[in-house]
Amino acid sequence: MIIVAPVLLILLGATKILQADLLPDEKISLLPPVNFTIKVTGLAQVLLHWKPNPDQEQRNVNLEYQVKINAPKEDDYETGITESKCVTILHKGFSASVRTILQNDHSLLASSWVSAELHAPPGSPGTSIVNLTCTTNTTEDNYSHLRSYQVSLHCTWLVGTDAPEDTQYFLYYRYGSWTEECQEYSKDTLGRNIACWFPRTFILSKGRDWLAVLVNGSSKHSAIKPFDQLFALHAIDQINPPLNVTAEIEGTRLSIQWEKPVSAFPIHCFDYEVKIHNTRNGYLQIEKMMTNAFISIIDDLSKYDVQVRAAVSSMCREAGLWSEWSQPIYVGNDEHKPLRKWFLIVLMATICFILLILSLVCKIKLGPVRRKLKSSVI
C-alpha cells in the first residue's frame, strides 16, 4: 500500500497535465483557413476546398472546420477534413464560408470567416424554362445481364415567357457520376423542345442519390439563362400497377389476389390499396394492406369492379407516389335483377286484380240484400 499510493499520485498528476494540454487554452488564437475555393465538378455539384492556415499555432488539439452555405439555400455543418462536396442548384449562384473551430464540452473557439462565391450564370431574364417536372419508371431489362431492371426518365417544361421564338432548349441529367444529354425531344408548334424522353438511363431504381437536371438553351437574339433542379427519386418514381389481379365470388365471399409490380424492390416493400365498387348502388370500398390478397363479404345480387394500386413502403424508402389503378376486373352478375323486378310488378298487379274481383263479387252479392233492406224500411 505504501508503494501503490505514490504511483497513483504520479498517474493522477500525469493525467491532469495531459488534460490541461488537450483542453483548449482560452489564450489560443485561431486563424481562418486559406486558399478557400469553390469548383463546379458536375451538374448541380460543387467541391469546396481549403487549407489550414500555415501560421496557425500548433497544439496537442484537433482543429475542425465549420462550413456555412449562404446561398442558394442556407445550411451549416462541421467537418474534420479540408474539403466538402455539395449537391445544390447553381442557376441562382452559390456562396459559402468556412472557419476554423476548436471545441470541447464547455466552450467553442472560432476564427473569423473566409468566403467564396460562384456568380449566377449569364442570361436574359425570362428566357429560362419554367415548370420543370420529371418522372421515372421501372421496366424489366431484357437486353442486359448486369441489371434486371431499367429506369426511364421523362421530363417536361414550359418555354420562358420572354424567350425568343427561335429559342432551342437542351436537357441533361446527372445521377451519381453519370451525365447524359437528351436525344429524344417533343416540340411545340414553333419547333422548340418542351419535353424529353430517356427510355434507358443510368439511374438506379432503388438508389438514394439526388437526380440533377439541367436545361440550357440558345438563341440568335438573346442569351438564354440556364435552369437546374434537383429531384428526390422517391418523389418522382411512378410505380407500376400490380400484376395479374384476379377476383372471384363464392356465395357472399369476394376473394382478390395480385402480384407485386414490376420493380427492383422485393415483395415485402409494397403497400397496396384495393378498390371495390358496387355498380348497383354505387357503394365504394377502399382498403389498405401490406399483403397481396384480400377477402370481403359482399351482396351476391350485385356486380362489382375491382382495382388495385401499389406504393413502395416507408420500410424500404421514403414515402412516394402511388401507382395508377390496375385495369378493372368485373365480377358478380346482376342480369337477374330485371326478372326479379318484373316478378314483383306482376305479383303486385295480380294481388290488385284479385282484390278488384273480390270487391266486384261482394258488390254483386250484397246488391239484392241492400235493396230488400231499403224496401222494408219504406
Side-chain angles (χ1 to χ4, degrees):
M1 291 294 293
I2 297 175
I3 298 175
V4 172
V7 173
L8 290 176
L9 289 174
I10 292 172
L11 291 174
L12 181 61
T15 302
K16 293 294 184 181
I17 293 172
L18 182 60
Q19 288 178 346
D21 287 339
L22 292 175
L23 288 174
D25 188 344
E26 293 183 359
K27 296 180 181 179
I28 190 173
S29 177
L30 293 183
L31 300 178
V34 296
N35 298 337
F36 180 36
T37 59
I38 301 175
K39 180 182 179 182
V40 177
T41 56
L43 297 186
Q45 183 173 265
V46 294
L47 175 66
L48 283 59
H49 186 269
W50 60 91
K51 292 183 179 180
N53 196 305
D55 298 326
Q56 178 64 57
E57 180 183 1
Q58 298 299 315
R59 288 289 188 97
N60 231 351
V61 292
N62 292 322
L63 296 179
E64 294 183 311
Y65 302 95
Q66 182 179 5
V67 179
K68 181 169 64 174
I69 308 301
N70 303 313
K73 184 179 180 181
E74 292 186 356
D75 190 17
D76 68 86
Y77 52 90
E78 297 170 3
T79 179
I81 59 177
T82 57
E83 66 177 25
S84 176
K85 291 182 180 179
C86 290
V87 176
T88 176
I89 60 172
L90 297 175
H91 69 272
K92 296 181 179 180
F94 180 86
S95 67
S97 304
V98 63
R99 67 178 178 177
T100 309
I101 60 172
L102 179 60
Q103 60 183 331
N104 64 8
D105 294 337
H106 307 289
S107 62
L108 171 68
L109 293 179
S111 72
S112 58
W113 293 98
V114 291
S115 300
E117 180 180 9
L118 291 176
H119 295 288
S124 301
T127 58
S128 64
I129 66 162
V130 294
N131 293 354
L132 175 64
T133 60
C134 294
T135 57
T136 58
N137 181 251
T138 300
T139 57
E140 289 184 307
D141 190 354
N142 299 320
Y143 303 98
S144 173
H145 299 292
L146 300 177
R147 297 167 63 179
S148 301
Y149 299 95
Q150 186 59 248
V151 177
S152 63
L153 174 65
H154 183 246
C155 296
T156 63
W157 59 87
L158 298 178
V159 173
T161 54
D162 296 324
E165 291 187 355
D166 72 332
T167 299
Q168 193 56 279
Y169 294 108
F170 307 96
L171 182 142
Y172 306 79
Y173 85 85
R174 179 186 61 80
Y175 185 77
S177 60
W178 294 97
T179 300
E180 278 194 292
E181 180 182 358
C182 182
Q183 302 297 323
E184 298 186 30
Y185 289 101
S186 298
K187 302 178 182 293
D188 65 6
T189 55
L190 296 178
R192 298 175 294 189
N193 296 334
I194 56 171
C196 168
W197 164 248
F198 290 91
R200 297 166 63 86
T201 68
F202 292 99
I203 299 171
L204 299 179
S205 55
K206 294 196 294 183
R208 298 180 181 272
D209 291 339
W210 287 96
L211 171 67
V213 177
L214 168 71
V215 181
N216 58 21
S218 63
S219 168
K220 295 179 180 179
H221 306 287
S222 179
I224 306 302
K225 194 171 182 64
F227 178 86
D228 57 353
Q229 188 169 334
L230 295 174
F231 296 92
L233 288 186
H234 72 272
I236 65 170
D237 188 20
Q238 185 61 62
I239 302 298
N240 294 300
L243 296 174
N244 300 329
V245 180
T246 60
E248 59 180 13
I249 293 177
E250 295 182 3
T252 59
R253 181 187 176 99
L254 171 61
S255 299
I256 307 167
Q257 292 184 327
W258 58 91
E259 297 176 6
K260 86 174 188 74
V262 173
S263 172
F265 286 97
I267 190 171
H268 68 271
C269 283
F270 288 94
D271 292 328
Y272 298 100
E273 281 189 346
V274 178
K275 181 167 65 173
I276 304 172
H277 177 232
N278 187 321
T279 60
R280 179 171 63 87
N281 58 24
Y283 177 73
L284 187 65
Q285 177 185 0
I286 297 180
E287 301 290 342
K288 186 175 181 179
M289 64 207 62
M290 297 179 64
T291 61
N292 60 342
F294 178 68
I295 296 176
S296 180
I297 304 302
I298 60 167
D299 170 15
D300 62 345
L301 298 177
S302 297
K303 190 174 183 179
Y304 298 86
D305 63 73
V306 176
Q307 293 175 283
V308 186
R309 66 177 182 175
V312 177
S313 169
S314 58
M315 295 188 304
C316 297
R317 77 172 181 191
E318 293 185 65
L321 303 174
W322 283 93
S323 73
E324 298 292 332
W325 290 102
S326 62
Q327 291 297 315
I329 302 294
Y330 295 94
V331 290
N333 190 353
D334 57 358
E335 293 180 357
H336 61 285
K337 287 194 301 180
L339 296 177
R340 182 184 179 191
K341 180 179 178 181
W342 282 109
F343 174 76
L344 292 176
I345 292 174
V346 171
L347 178 62
M348 293 300 296
T350 302
I351 293 174
C352 291
F353 180 74
I354 292 173
L355 292 176
L356 178 61
I357 296 299
L358 291 176
S359 175
L360 291 174
V361 170
C362 290
K363 280 186 176 183
I364 293 172
K365 289 187 176 182
L366 292 177
V369 175
R370 287 178 178 175
R371 287 195 293 270
K372 288 181 180 179
L373 289 175
K374 186 176 180 181
S375 59
S376 62
V377 172
I378 297 173

